[in-house]
Amino acid sequence: QFALGESGLDDFLLTDTNIVKEEDCAPEATTTSFIHPNNNFITTDHTTFSLILPVMKQEPVLTNPSEQVLKRKAGRPERQTPIQITEVPKNGSVTLTTDQLRSLKYRRSRDLNNEASKRCRKNRKEKLNKKEQECEELAEKNRELAEQVLAKITEVEAWKVRCRAVGYSC
């Protein structure tokens, strides 16, 4: 009863008044039309034209996985020039007030501490990366060993079946 000739829909579908033409629709500017300009969809009221234009779910736009985008490292870029550590003059070589001398000593200790902190963070990061790599290697080895165990268990079961077939009790 739902064939085109018997349902009465053939007259409905073939009339020109029900077909939506592109020049009849006023273009609508939506956020998605600006974000995804390649969509060639006519924006219409989905409730009105649901029989003519099915409602399409918008799928997320996937980027091409072959295009690898190089990410920048987080934080401040590495220094290109060597760091200048403040030098404290020896006694008697330069006349400085006690406040100036104290300030130079403090600046030197800060410079040295900053460099030590940088080395510490770098070493800690290297250790963490090394531990993660070791963990991945051990996980892979664990998977291989688990497969070997399963193979041995099936082999033992097969031998037990053979022994029972011959008459030995296992």
Side-chain angles (χ1 to χ4, degrees), residues 17-168:
T17 58
N18 293 329
I19 297 174
V20 177
K21 295 183 181 177
E22 201 167 333
E23 57 269 1
D24 294 341
C25 296
E28 266 184 49
T30 61
T31 308
T32 56
S33 68
F34 287 105
I35 295 173
H36 309 290
N38 295 334
N39 291 344
N40 296 326
F41 299 116
I42 301 171
T43 308
T44 59
D45 183 12
H46 295 294
T47 58
T48 308
F49 300 107
S50 62
L51 293 176
I52 299 171
L53 299 174
V55 177
M56 299 181 73
K57 293 182 181 176
Q58 184 175 0
E59 297 180 11
V61 177
L62 301 175
T63 59
N64 191 355
S66 64
E67 296 177 10
Q68 299 247 340
V69 178
L70 297 175
K71 287 189 174 183
R72 292 187 335 194
K73 290 183 182 178
R76 187 179 291 179
E78 287 189 36
R79 181 185 300 266
Q80 300 298 322
T81 59
I83 188 151
Q84 296 288 328
I85 307 260
T86 306
E87 295 289 328
V88 177
K90 295 183 179 182
N91 289 341
S93 63
V94 178
T95 56
L96 296 173
T97 64
T98 56
D99 287 339
Q100 289 174 335
L101 188 60
R102 192 178 314 135
S103 174
L104 286 175
K105 286 182 180 180
Y106 178 75
R107 183 73 257 154
R108 177 175 170 78
S109 67
R110 292 304 314 140
D111 291 343
L112 291 172
N113 184 264
N114 288 344
E115 286 300 308
S117 297
K118 189 187 297 184
R119 282 192 312 271
C120 179
R121 286 189 295 269
K122 182 180 175 186
N123 290 338
R124 187 183 329 135
K125 189 174 182 179
E126 287 176 1
K127 285 180 185 178
L128 180 66
N129 289 339
K130 186 185 287 186
K131 285 183 181 181
E132 286 177 353
Q133 182 180 0
E134 182 183 357
C135 182
E136 290 172 3
E137 290 171 0
L138 289 175
E140 180 62 31
K141 186 175 181 180
N142 190 18
R143 279 189 289 267
E144 292 173 4
L145 290 175
E147 289 176 7
Q148 289 178 5
V149 166
L150 287 175
K152 295 294 182 184
I153 288 174
T154 56
E155 185 179 349
V156 166
E157 291 299 322
W159 278 106
K160 284 183 180 180
V161 168
R162 289 180 189 160
C163 288
R164 287 187 195 116
V166 174
Y168 290 114

